[in-house]
Amino acid sequence: MAKQNNSGYPVSHIIGFIASLVMTFAAVGIALKTNLSFTVIMWLIGSLAMLQAGMQLFMFMHVTEGKDGKANLINMAYSFFLAVVVVGGSIWILTSGHMAH
């Protein structure tokens, strides 16, 4: 990850911004200019979105910097796990018919 130089110019922010734009335009291009199936397009756009969100956590929010960098990563991983369990469990319960008598 690029650090700021002595003049205070935010090199990492510029790199992150350009990378975000590239991923956004790639998603638009995939959605509008390809003849792929809807499912494949959605998977590609979702993958680019997750990649972009992760990159922004490191480039703009400086997750790993400071004395609590490792704790921040662990807390975010646990939060993601809880979100997956809650959403997945809710979808499972609502769609599996357990409440039908």
Side-chain angles (χ1 to χ4, degrees):
M1 178 182 331
K3 296 286 184 185
Q4 291 182 353
N5 60 17
N6 292 338
S7 68
Y9 193 74
V11 175
S12 66
H13 291 120
I14 300 299
I15 293 170
F17 176 68
I18 292 170
S20 293
L21 286 176
V22 167
M23 284 186 258
T24 300
F25 288 129
V28 169
I30 288 169
L32 299 177
K33 302 290 184 186
T34 62
N35 292 327
L36 299 172
S37 70
F38 178 77
T39 304
V40 172
I41 290 173
M42 297 284 39
W43 274 103
L44 288 172
I45 290 173
S47 299
L48 284 170
M50 295 299 290
L51 183 65
Q52 185 175 0
M55 186 222 31
Q56 287 180 1
L57 280 173
F58 289 97
M59 298 297 269
F60 298 123
M61 302 178 99
H62 308 288
V63 173
T64 57
E65 292 180 8
K67 63 181 180 177
D68 291 336
K70 191 173 185 178
N72 288 340
L73 283 175
I74 292 170
N75 288 337
M76 283 191 304
Y78 182 64
S79 298
F80 179 75
F81 171 74
L82 285 179
V84 168
V85 168
V86 168
V87 171
S90 298
I91 292 171
W92 177 59
I93 292 295
L94 291 171
T95 60
S96 64
H98 287 286
M99 298 301 293
H101 291 77

Coordinates of all heavy atoms in Angstrom, one line a residue:
M1 N 0.8 -1.2 0.0 CA 0.0 0.0 0.0 C 0.9 1.2 0.0 O 1.8 1.3 0.7 CB -0.9 0.0 1.2 CG -1.8 1.2 1.3 SD -2.9 1.3 2.8 CE -3.2 -0.4 3.2
A2 N 0.6 2.2 -0.8 CA 1.4 3.4 -0.9 C 1.1 4.3 0.2 O 0.0 4.5 0.7 CB 1.0 4.1 -2.2
K3 N 2.2 4.9 0.7 CA 2.1 5.8 1.8 C 2.2 7.3 1.3 O 2.6 7.5 0.2 CB 3.3 5.6 2.8 CG 3.2 4.3 3.5 CD 2.1 4.2 4.5 CE 2.2 2.9 5.2 NZ 1.1 2.7 6.1
Q4 N 1.8 8.2 2.1 CA 2.0 9.6 1.7 C 3.4 10.0 1.7 O 4.2 9.6 2.6 CB 1.2 10.5 2.7 CG -0.3 10.4 2.7 CD -1.0 11.3 3.6 OE1 -0.3 12.0 4.4 NE2 -2.3 11.4 3.5
N5 N 3.8 10.8 0.8 CA 5.2 11.3 0.7 C 5.3 12.5 1.6 O 4.3 12.9 2.3 CB 5.6 11.6 -0.7 CG 4.8 12.6 -1.4 OD1 4.1 13.4 -0.7 ND2 4.9 12.7 -2.7
N6 N 6.5 13.1 1.7 CA 6.8 14.2 2.6 C 6.0 15.4 2.4 O 5.7 16.2 3.2 CB 8.3 14.5 2.6 CG 9.1 13.3 3.2 OD1 8.5 12.5 4.0 ND2 10.3 13.3 2.9
S7 N 5.6 15.6 1.1 CA 4.8 16.9 0.8 C 3.4 16.8 1.2 O 2.6 17.8 1.1 CB 4.9 17.1 -0.7 OG 4.2 16.1 -1.4
G8 N 2.9 15.6 1.7 CA 1.6 15.5 2.2 C 0.6 15.1 1.1 O -0.6 15.2 1.3
Y9 N 1.1 14.8 -0.1 CA 0.2 14.4 -1.2 C -0.3 13.0 -1.0 O 0.4 12.1 -0.8 CB 1.0 14.5 -2.5 CG 0.2 14.5 -3.7 CD1 -0.6 15.5 -4.1 CD2 0.1 13.3 -4.5 CE1 -1.4 15.5 -5.2 CE2 -0.7 13.3 -5.6 CZ -1.4 14.4 -6.0 OH -2.2 14.3 -7.1
P10 N -1.6 12.9 -1.0 CA -2.2 11.6 -0.6 C -2.2 10.5 -1.8 O -3.2 10.3 -2.5 CB -3.7 11.9 -0.3 CG -3.9 13.1 -1.2 CD -2.6 13.9 -1.2
V11 N -1.0 10.0 -2.0 CA -0.8 9.0 -3.1 C -1.7 7.8 -3.0 O -2.3 7.4 -4.0 CB 0.7 8.6 -3.2 CG1 0.9 7.5 -4.2 CG2 1.6 9.8 -3.4
S12 N -1.9 7.3 -1.8 CA -2.7 6.1 -1.7 C -4.2 6.4 -2.0 O -4.9 5.6 -2.5 CB -2.6 5.5 -0.2 OG -3.1 6.4 0.7
H13 N -4.6 7.6 -1.6 CA -6.0 8.0 -1.9 C -6.2 8.1 -3.4 O -7.3 7.7 -4.0 CB -6.4 9.3 -1.2 CG -6.5 9.2 0.2 ND1 -5.7 9.9 1.1 CD2 -7.2 8.4 1.0 CE1 -6.0 9.5 2.3 NE2 -6.9 8.6 2.3
I14 N -5.3 8.7 -4.1 CA -5.4 8.8 -5.6 C -5.4 7.4 -6.3 O -6.2 7.2 -7.1 CB -4.2 9.6 -6.2 CG1 -4.2 11.0 -5.6 CG2 -4.2 9.7 -7.7 CD1 -5.4 11.9 -5.8
I15 N -4.5 6.5 -5.8 CA -4.5 5.2 -6.4 C -5.8 4.5 -6.1 O -6.4 3.8 -7.0 CB -3.3 4.4 -5.8 CG1 -2.0 5.0 -6.3 CG2 -3.4 2.9 -6.1 CD1 -0.8 4.4 -5.6
G16 N -6.3 4.6 -4.9 CA -7.6 4.0 -4.5 C -8.8 4.6 -5.3 O -9.7 3.8 -5.7
F17 N -8.8 5.9 -5.5 CA -9.8 6.5 -6.3 C -9.8 6.0 -7.8 O -10.9 5.7 -8.3 CB -9.7 8.0 -6.3 CG -10.7 8.8 -7.1 CD1 -12.0 8.8 -6.8 CD2 -10.3 9.4 -8.2 CE1 -12.9 9.4 -7.5 CE2 -11.2 10.1 -9.0 CZ -12.5 10.1 -8.6
I18 N -8.6 6.0 -8.4 CA -8.5 5.5 -9.7 C -8.9 4.0 -9.8 O -9.7 3.6 -10.8 CB -7.1 5.7 -10.3 CG1 -6.9 7.2 -10.4 CG2 -6.9 5.0 -11.6 CD1 -5.4 7.6 -10.7
A19 N -8.5 3.2 -8.9 CA -8.9 1.8 -8.9 C -10.4 1.6 -8.7 O -11.0 0.8 -9.4 CB -8.2 1.0 -7.8
S20 N -11.0 2.5 -7.9 CA -12.5 2.4 -7.7 C -13.2 2.8 -9.0 O -14.2 2.2 -9.4 CB -12.9 3.4 -6.6 OG -12.5 3.0 -5.4
L21 N -12.7 3.8 -9.7 CA -13.3 4.2 -11.0 C -13.2 3.1 -12.0 O -14.1 2.8 -12.8 CB -12.6 5.5 -11.5 CG -13.0 6.8 -10.8 CD1 -12.2 7.9 -11.4 CD2 -14.5 7.0 -11.0
V22 N -12.0 2.4 -12.1 CA -11.8 1.4 -13.0 C -12.8 0.2 -12.8 O -13.4 -0.3 -13.7 CB -10.3 0.9 -13.0 CG1 -10.2 -0.5 -13.7 CG2 -9.4 1.9 -13.5
M23 N -12.9 -0.2 -11.5 CA -13.9 -1.2 -11.2 C -15.3 -0.9 -11.5 O -16.1 -1.7 -11.9 CB -13.7 -1.7 -9.7 CG -12.5 -2.5 -9.5 SD -12.4 -3.1 -7.8 CE -11.2 -2.0 -7.1
T24 N -15.7 0.4 -11.2 CA -17.0 0.9 -11.5 C -17.3 0.8 -13.0 O -18.3 0.3 -13.4 CB -17.2 2.3 -11.0 OG1 -17.0 2.3 -9.5 CG2 -18.6 2.8 -11.3
F25 N -16.4 1.3 -13.8 CA -16.6 1.3 -15.2 C -16.5 -0.1 -15.8 O -17.2 -0.4 -16.8 CB -15.5 2.2 -15.9 CG -15.8 3.7 -15.7 CD1 -14.8 4.5 -15.3 CD2 -17.1 4.2 -15.9 CE1 -15.0 5.9 -15.1 CE2 -17.3 5.6 -15.8 CZ -16.3 6.4 -15.3
A26 N -15.7 -1.0 -15.2 CA -15.7 -2.4 -15.6 C -17.1 -3.0 -15.4 O -17.6 -3.8 -16.2 CB -14.6 -3.2 -14.8
A27 N -17.7 -2.7 -14.2 CA -19.0 -3.2 -13.9 C -20.1 -2.7 -14.9 O -20.9 -3.5 -15.4 CB -19.4 -2.9 -12.5
V28 N -20.0 -1.4 -15.2 CA -20.9 -0.9 -16.2 C -20.7 -1.5 -17.6 O -21.7 -1.8 -18.3 CB -20.7 0.7 -16.3 CG1 -21.5 1.3 -17.5 CG2 -21.2 1.3 -15.0
G29 N -19.5 -1.7 -18.0 CA -19.2 -2.3 -19.3 C -19.7 -3.7 -19.3 O -20.2 -4.2 -20.3
I30 N -19.5 -4.5 -18.2 CA -20.0 -5.9 -18.2 C -21.5 -5.9 -18.3 O -22.1 -6.7 -19.0 CB -19.5 -6.5 -16.9 CG1 -18.0 -6.8 -16.9 CG2 -20.3 -7.8 -16.6 CD1 -17.4 -7.3 -15.6
A31 N -22.2 -5.0 -17.6 CA -23.6 -4.9 -17.6 C -24.2 -4.5 -19.0 O -25.2 -5.1 -19.4 CB -24.1 -4.0 -16.5
L32 N -23.6 -3.6 -19.6 CA -24.2 -3.0 -20.8 C -23.6 -3.6 -22.1 O -24.3 -3.5 -23.2 CB -24.0 -1.5 -20.8 CG -24.7 -0.8 -19.7 CD1 -24.4 0.7 -19.7 CD2 -26.2 -1.0 -19.6
K33 N -22.4 -4.0 -22.1 CA -21.7 -4.3 -23.4 C -21.4 -5.8 -23.6 O -20.8 -6.2 -24.6 CB -20.4 -3.6 -23.5 CG -20.5 -2.1 -23.4 CD -21.1 -1.5 -24.6 CE -21.1 0.0 -24.5 NZ -21.8 0.6 -25.6
T34 N -21.8 -6.7 -22.7 CA -21.6 -8.1 -22.9 C -22.9 -8.9 -23.2 O -24.0 -8.4 -22.8 CB -20.9 -8.7 -21.7 OG1 -21.8 -8.6 -20.5 CG2 -19.6 -8.0 -21.4
N35 N -22.7 -10.0 -23.7 CA -23.9 -10.9 -24.0 C -23.9 -12.1 -23.0 O -24.4 -13.1 -23.4 CB -23.8 -11.4 -25.4 CG -24.1 -10.3 -26.4 OD1 -24.8 -9.4 -26.2 ND2 -23.4 -10.4 -27.6
L36 N -23.4 -11.9 -21.9 CA -23.3 -13.0 -20.9 C -24.7 -13.1 -20.3 O -25.6 -12.2 -20.4 CB -22.3 -12.6 -19.8 CG -20.9 -12.5 -20.2 CD1 -20.0 -12.0 -19.1 CD2 -20.4 -13.8 -20.7
S37 N -25.0 -14.2 -19.6 CA -26.3 -14.4 -19.0 C -26.4 -13.5 -17.8 O -25.5 -13.0 -17.2 CB -26.4 -15.9 -18.5 OG -25.6 -16.1 -17.4
F38 N -27.7 -13.3 -17.4 CA -28.0 -12.4 -16.3 C -27.3 -12.9 -15.0 O -26.7 -12.0 -14.3 CB -29.5 -12.4 -16.1 CG -29.9 -11.5 -14.9 CD1 -29.9 -10.1 -15.0 CD2 -30.3 -12.1 -13.7 CE1 -30.3 -9.3 -13.9 CE2 -30.6 -11.3 -12.6 CZ -30.6 -9.9 -12.8
T39 N -27.2 -14.2 -14.8 CA -26.6 -14.7 -13.5 C -25.1 -14.4 -13.5 O -24.6 -14.0 -12.5 CB -26.9 -16.2 -13.5 OG1 -28.3 -16.4 -13.5 CG2 -26.3 -16.8 -12.2
V40 N -24.5 -14.6 -14.7 CA -23.0 -14.4 -14.7 C -22.7 -12.9 -14.5 O -21.8 -12.5 -13.8 CB -22.4 -14.9 -16.1 CG1 -21.0 -14.4 -16.3 CG2 -22.6 -16.4 -16.2
I41 N -23.5 -12.0 -15.2 CA -23.4 -10.6 -15.0 C -23.5 -10.2 -13.6 O -22.7 -9.4 -13.0 CB -24.3 -9.8 -15.9 CG1 -23.9 -10.0 -17.4 CG2 -24.4 -8.3 -15.5 CD1 -24.9 -9.4 -18.4
M42 N -24.5 -10.7 -12.9 CA -24.7 -10.4 -11.5 C -23.6 -10.8 -10.6 O -23.2 -10.1 -9.7 CB -26.1 -10.9 -11.0 CG -27.3 -10.4 -11.6 SD -27.9 -8.8 -11.3 CE -26.9 -7.6 -11.1
W43 N -23.0 -12.0 -10.9 CA -21.9 -12.5 -10.1 C -20.7 -11.7 -10.3 O -19.9 -11.4 -9.4 CB -21.6 -14.0 -10.4 CG -22.4 -14.9 -9.6 CD1 -23.5 -15.6 -10.1 CD2 -22.2 -15.3 -8.3 NE1 -24.0 -16.4 -9.0 CE2 -23.2 -16.2 -7.9 CE3 -21.3 -14.9 -7.3 CZ2 -23.3 -16.8 -6.7 CZ3 -21.4 -15.5 -6.0 CH2 -22.4 -16.4 -5.7
L44 N -20.4 -11.3 -11.6 CA -19.3 -10.4 -11.9 C -19.4 -9.0 -11.2 O -18.4 -8.5 -10.6 CB -19.1 -10.3 -13.4 CG -18.6 -11.5 -14.1 CD1 -18.6 -11.3 -15.6 CD2 -17.2 -11.9 -13.6
I45 N -20.6 -8.5 -11.3 CA -20.8 -7.1 -10.7 C -20.6 -7.3 -9.2 O -20.0 -6.4 -8.5 CB -22.1 -6.5 -11.1 CG1 -22.1 -6.2 -12.6 CG2 -22.5 -5.3 -10.3 CD1 -23.4 -5.7 -13.1
G46 N -21.2 -8.3 -8.6 CA -21.1 -8.5 -7.1 C -19.7 -8.7 -6.7 O -19.3 -8.2 -5.6
S47 N -18.9 -9.5 -7.5 CA -17.5 -9.7 -7.1 C -16.7 -8.4 -7.2 O -15.9 -8.1 -6.3 CB -16.9 -10.7 -8.1 OG -17.6 -11.9 -8.0
L48 N -17.0 -7.6 -8.2 CA -16.3 -6.3 -8.3 C -16.7 -5.4 -7.2 O -15.8 -4.7 -6.7 CB -16.6 -5.6 -9.7 CG -15.9 -6.2 -10.9 CD1 -16.4 -5.6 -12.2 CD2 -14.4 -5.9 -10.8
A49 N -17.9 -5.4 -6.8 CA -18.4 -4.6 -5.7 C -17.7 -5.0 -4.4 O -17.3 -4.1 -3.6 CB -19.9 -4.7 -5.5
M50 N -17.6 -6.3 -4.1 CA -16.9 -6.8 -2.9 C -15.4 -6.4 -2.9 O -14.9 -6.0 -1.9 CB -17.1 -8.3 -2.7 CG -18.5 -8.7 -2.5 SD -19.3 -8.0 -1.0 CE -18.4 -8.9 0.2
L51 N -14.8 -6.6 -4.1 CA -13.4 -6.2 -4.2 C -13.2 -4.7 -4.0 O -12.3 -4.3 -3.3 CB -12.9 -6.6 -5.6 CG -11.4 -6.4 -5.9 CD1 -10.6 -7.3 -5.0 CD2 -11.2 -6.7 -7.4
Q52 N -14.1 -3.9 -4.5 CA -14.0 -2.5 -4.3 C -14.2 -2.1 -2.9 O -13.5 -1.2 -2.4 CB -15.0 -1.8 -5.2 CG -14.8 -0.3 -5.2 CD -15.7 0.4 -6.2 OE1 -16.5 -0.2 -6.9 NE2 -15.7 1.7 -6.2
A53 N -15.2 -2.7 -2.2 CA -15.4 -2.4 -0.8 C -14.2 -2.7 0.0 O -13.8 -2.0 0.9 CB -16.7 -3.1 -0.3
G54 N -13.6 -3.9 -0.2 CA -12.4 -4.3 0.6 C -11.3 -3.4 0.3 O -10.6 -3.0 1.2
M55 N -11.1 -3.0 -1.0 CA -10.0 -2.1 -1.3 C -10.2 -0.7 -0.6 O -9.2 -0.1 -0.1 CB -9.9 -1.9 -2.8 CG -8.7 -1.1 -3.2 SD -8.9 0.2 -4.5 CE -10.5 0.7 -4.4
Q56 N -11.4 -0.2 -0.6 CA -11.7 1.1 0.1 C -11.5 1.0 1.6 O -11.0 2.0 2.2 CB -13.1 1.5 -0.3 CG -13.2 2.0 -1.7 CD -14.6 2.5 -2.1 OE1 -15.5 2.5 -1.3 NE2 -14.7 2.8 -3.3
L57 N -11.7 -0.1 2.2 CA -11.5 -0.3 3.6 C -10.0 -0.1 3.9 O -9.6 0.6 4.9 CB -11.9 -1.6 4.1 CG -13.4 -1.8 4.4 CD1 -13.7 -3.3 4.8 CD2 -13.8 -0.9 5.5
F58 N -9.1 -0.6 3.1 CA -7.7 -0.5 3.3 C -7.1 0.8 2.8 O -6.2 1.4 3.4 CB -7.0 -1.7 2.6 CG -7.2 -3.0 3.3 CD1 -8.1 -3.8 2.9 CD2 -6.5 -3.3 4.5 CE1 -8.4 -5.0 3.6 CE2 -6.7 -4.5 5.2 CZ -7.6 -5.3 4.7
M59 N -7.6 1.3 1.7 CA -7.0 2.5 1.1 C -7.5 3.8 1.7 O -6.7 4.8 1.9 CB -7.3 2.6 -0.4 CG -6.7 1.4 -1.2 SD -4.9 1.4 -1.1 CE -4.5 2.3 -2.6
F60 N -8.8 3.9 2.0 CA -9.4 5.1 2.5 C -9.6 5.1 4.0 O -9.5 6.1 4.7 CB -10.7 5.4 1.8 CG -10.6 5.6 0.3 CD1 -11.3 4.9 -0.6 CD2 -9.7 6.6 -0.2 CE1 -11.1 5.0 -1.9 CE2 -9.6 6.8 -1.5 CZ -10.3 6.0 -2.4
M61 N -10.0 4.0 4.6 CA -10.4 3.9 6.0 C -9.2 3.5 6.9 O -9.3 3.5 8.1 CB -11.6 3.1 6.2 CG -12.8 3.6 5.4 SD -14.2 2.5 5.6 CE -15.1 3.4 6.8
H62 N -8.1 3.1 6.2 CA -6.8 2.8 6.9 C -7.1 1.8 8.1 O -6.7 2.0 9.2 CB -6.2 4.0 7.5 CG -6.0 5.1 6.5 ND1 -5.1 5.0 5.5 CD2 -6.7 6.3 6.3 CE1 -5.1 6.1 4.7 NE2 -6.1 6.9 5.2
V63 N -7.7 0.7 7.7 CA -8.1 -0.3 8.7 C -7.0 -0.9 9.5 O -7.0 -1.1 10.7 CB -8.9 -1.5 8.0 CG1 -9.2 -2.6 8.9 CG2 -10.2 -0.9 7.4
T64 N -5.9 -1.2 8.8 CA -4.7 -1.8 9.4 C -3.8 -0.9 10.1 O -2.8 -1.3 10.7 CB -4.0 -2.7 8.4 OG1 -3.5 -1.8 7.4 CG2 -4.8 -3.8 7.9
E65 N -4.0 0.4 10.0 CA -3.1 1.4 10.6 C -3.4 1.6 12.1 O -4.5 1.4 12.6 CB -3.1 2.7 9.9 CG -2.6 2.6 8.5 CD -2.6 3.9 7.7 OE1 -2.9 4.9 8.3 OE2 -2.3 3.9 6.5
G66 N -2.5 2.0 12.9 CA -2.6 2.3 14.3 C -2.4 1.1 15.1 O -2.2 0.0 14.7
K67 N -2.5 1.3 16.4 CA -2.3 0.2 17.4 C -3.4 -0.9 17.4 O -3.2 -2.0 17.8 CB -2.0 0.7 18.8 CG -3.2 1.4 19.4 CD -2.8 2.0 20.7 CE -4.1 2.7 21.3 NZ -3.8 3.1 22.7
D68 N -4.6 -0.5 16.9 CA -5.7 -1.4 16.9 C -6.0 -2.0 15.6 O -7.1 -2.4 15.3 CB -7.0 -0.7 17.5 CG -6.9 -0.4 19.0 OD1 -6.1 -1.1 19.6 OD2 -7.6 0.5 19.4
G69 N -5.1 -2.0 14.6 CA -5.3 -2.4 13.3 C -5.7 -3.9 13.2 O -6.7 -4.2 12.5
K70 N -5.1 -4.8 14.0 CA -5.4 -6.2 14.0 C -6.8 -6.4 14.6 O -7.6 -7.2 14.1 CB -4.3 -7.0 14.7 CG -4.4 -8.5 14.5 CD -3.3 -9.2 15.1 CE -3.3 -10.6 14.9 NZ -2.1 -11.3 15.4
A71 N -7.1 -5.7 15.7 CA -8.4 -5.8 16.3 C -9.5 -5.3 15.4 O -10.6 -5.9 15.4 CB -8.4 -5.0 17.6
N72 N -9.2 -4.3 14.6 CA -10.2 -3.8 13.6 C -10.5 -4.9 12.6 O -11.7 -5.1 12.3 CB -9.7 -2.6 12.9 CG -9.7 -1.3 13.8 OD1 -10.4 -1.3 14.8 ND2 -8.9 -0.3 13.4
L73 N -9.5 -5.6 12.1 CA -9.8 -6.6 11.1 C -10.6 -7.8 11.7 O -11.5 -8.3 11.1 CB -8.4 -7.2 10.6 CG -7.7 -6.3 9.6 CD1 -6.4 -6.8 9.2 CD2 -8.6 -6.1 8.3
I74 N -10.2 -8.2 13.0 CA -10.9 -9.3 13.6 C -12.4 -8.9 13.9 O -13.3 -9.6 13.7 CB -10.2 -9.6 14.9 CG1 -8.9 -10.3 14.6 CG2 -11.1 -10.6 15.8 CD1 -8.0 -10.5 15.8
N75 N -12.6 -7.6 14.3 CA -14.0 -7.2 14.6 C -14.8 -7.1 13.3 O -16.0 -7.5 13.3 CB -14.0 -5.8 15.2 CG -13.5 -5.8 16.6 OD1 -13.6 -6.9 17.3 ND2 -13.0 -4.7 17.1
M76 N -14.2 -6.7 12.2 CA -14.9 -6.7 10.9 C -15.2 -8.1 10.4 O -16.3 -8.3 9.9 CB -14.1 -5.9 9.9 CG -14.2 -4.4 10.1 SD -13.6 -3.5 8.7 CE -11.9 -4.1 8.5
A77 N -14.3 -9.0 10.6 CA -14.5 -10.4 10.1 C -15.7 -11.0 11.0 O -16.5 -11.7 10.4 CB -13.3 -11.2 10.3
Y78 N -15.7 -10.7 12.2 CA -16.7 -11.3 13.1 C -18.1 -10.6 12.7 O -19.1 -11.3 12.7 CB -16.4 -11.0 14.6 CG -17.4 -11.6 15.5 CD1 -17.7 -12.9 15.6 CD2 -18.2 -10.7 16.3 CE1 -18.6 -13.5 16.4 CE2 -19.1 -11.2 17.2 CZ -19.4 -12.6 17.3 OH -20.3 -13.1 18.1
S79 N -18.1 -9.3 12.5 CA -19.3 -8.7 12.1 C -19.9 -9.2 10.7 O -21.1 -9.4 10.6 CB -19.1 -7.2 11.9 OG -18.7 -6.6 13.1
F80 N -19.0 -9.5 9.8 CA -19.4 -10.1 8.5 C -20.0 -11.5 8.7 O -21.0 -11.8 8.2 CB -18.2 -10.1 7.6 CG -18.5 -10.7 6.2 CD1 -19.2 -10.0 5.3 CD2 -18.1 -12.0 6.0 CE1 -19.5 -10.6 4.1 CE2 -18.4 -12.6 4.7 CZ -19.1 -11.9 3.8
F81 N -19.3 -12.2 9.6 CA -19.8 -13.6 9.9 C -21.2 -13.5 10.5 O -22.1 -14.3 10.1 CB -18.9 -14.3 10.9 CG -19.4 -15.6 11.4 CD1 -19.5 -16.7 10.6 CD2 -19.8 -15.6 12.7 CE1 -20.0 -17.9 11.1 CE2 -20.3 -16.8 13.3 CZ -20.4 -17.9 12.5
L82 N -21.4 -12.6 11.5 CA -22.7 -12.4 12.1 C -23.8 -12.0 11.1 O -24.9 -12.5 11.1 CB -22.7 -11.4 13.2 CG -22.0 -11.9 14.5 CD1 -22.0 -10.8 15.5 CD2 -22.7 -13.1 15.1
A83 N -23.4 -11.1 10.2 CA -24.4 -10.7 9.2 C -24.8 -11.8 8.2 O -26.0 -12.0 7.9 CB -23.8 -9.5 8.3
V84 N -23.8 -12.6 7.8 CA -24.1 -13.8 7.0 C -25.0 -14.8 7.7 O -26.0 -15.3 7.1 CB -22.8 -14.5 6.5 CG1 -23.1 -15.8 5.9 CG2 -22.0 -13.6 5.6
V85 N -24.7 -15.0 9.0 CA -25.6 -16.0 9.8 C -27.0 -15.4 9.9 O -28.0 -16.2 9.7 CB -24.9 -16.2 11.1 CG1 -25.9 -17.0 12.1 CG2 -23.7 -17.0 11.0
V86 N -27.2 -14.2 10.2 CA -28.5 -13.6 10.4 C -29.3 -13.6 9.1 O -30.4 -14.0 9.0 CB -28.4 -12.2 11.0 CG1 -29.7 -11.5 11.0 CG2 -27.9 -12.3 12.5
V87 N -28.6 -13.1 8.0 CA -29.3 -13.0 6.8 C -29.6 -14.4 6.2 O -30.7 -14.7 5.8 CB -28.5 -12.2 5.8 CG1 -29.1 -12.3 4.4 CG2 -28.5 -10.7 6.2
G88 N -28.6 -15.3 6.2 CA -28.8 -16.6 5.7 C -29.8 -17.4 6.6 O -30.6 -18.1 6.0
G89 N -29.7 -17.3 7.9 CA -30.7 -18.0 8.7 C -32.1 -17.4 8.5 O -33.1 -18.2 8.5
S90 N -32.3 -16.2 8.3 CA -33.6 -15.6 8.0 C -34.2 -16.1 6.7 O -35.3 -16.5 6.6 CB -33.5 -14.1 8.0 OG -33.1 -13.6 9.3
I91 N -33.3 -16.1 5.7 CA -33.8 -16.6 4.4 C -34.1 -18.1 4.5 O -35.2 -18.5 3.9 CB -32.7 -16.3 3.3 CG1 -32.6 -14.8 3.1 CG2 -33.0 -17.1 2.0 CD1 -31.4 -14.4 2.2
W92 N -33.3 -18.8 5.2 CA -33.6 -20.3 5.3 C -34.9 -20.5 6.0 O -35.8 -21.3 5.6 CB -32.5 -20.9 6.1 CG -32.7 -22.4 6.4 CD1 -32.9 -23.4 5.5 CD2 -32.7 -23.0 7.6 NE1 -33.0 -24.6 6.1 CE2 -32.9 -24.4 7.4 CE3 -32.6 -22.5 8.9 CZ2 -33.0 -25.3 8.5 CZ3 -32.7 -23.4 10.0 CH2 -32.9 -24.8 9.8
I93 N -35.2 -19.8 7.1 CA -36.4 -20.0 7.9 C -37.6 -19.6 7.1 O -38.7 -20.2 7.1 CB -36.4 -19.2 9.2 CG1 -35.3 -19.9 10.2 CG2 -37.7 -19.1 9.9 CD1 -35.7 -21.3 10.6
L94 N -37.5 -18.4 6.4 CA -38.6 -17.9 5.7 C -39.0 -18.7 4.4 O -40.1 -18.7 3.9 CB -38.4 -16.4 5.3 CG -38.4 -15.5 6.4 CD1 -37.9 -14.1 6.0 CD2 -39.7 -15.4 7.1
T95 N -38.0 -19.4 3.8 CA -38.3 -20.1 2.6 C -38.4 -21.6 2.7 O -38.8 -22.3 1.8 CB -37.1 -19.9 1.6 OG1 -35.9 -20.3 2.1 CG2 -37.1 -18.4 1.2
S96 N -38.1 -22.2 3.9 CA -38.1 -23.6 4.0 C -39.4 -24.2 4.5 O -39.5 -25.4 4.5 CB -36.9 -24.1 4.9 OG -37.2 -23.6 6.2
G97 N -40.3 -23.4 4.9 CA -41.7 -23.9 5.2 C -41.7 -24.5 6.6 O -42.6 -25.3 6.9
H98 N -40.8 -24.2 7.5 CA -40.9 -24.7 8.8 C -42.1 -24.3 9.6 O -42.6 -24.9 10.6 CB -39.6 -24.3 9.6 CG -38.4 -25.1 9.2 ND1 -38.2 -26.4 9.5 CD2 -37.4 -24.7 8.5 CE1 -37.1 -26.8 9.0 NE2 -36.5 -25.8 8.4
M99 N -42.7 -23.1 9.2 CA -43.8 -22.6 9.9 C -45.2 -23.2 9.4 O -46.2 -23.0 10.0 CB -43.9 -21.1 9.8 CG -42.6 -20.4 10.5 SD -42.4 -20.8 12.2 CE -43.8 -20.0 12.9
A100 N -45.1 -23.9 8.3 CA -46.3 -24.5 7.7 C -46.8 -25.6 8.6 O -46.0 -26.5 9.0 CB -46.1 -25.0 6.3
H101 N -48.1 -25.7 8.8 CA -48.7 -26.7 9.7 C -49.4 -27.7 8.8 O -50.1 -27.5 8.0 CB -49.6 -26.1 10.7 CG -48.9 -25.4 11.8 ND1 -48.4 -24.1 11.6 CD2 -48.5 -25.7 13.1 CE1 -47.8 -23.7 12.6 NE2 -47.9 -24.6 13.6

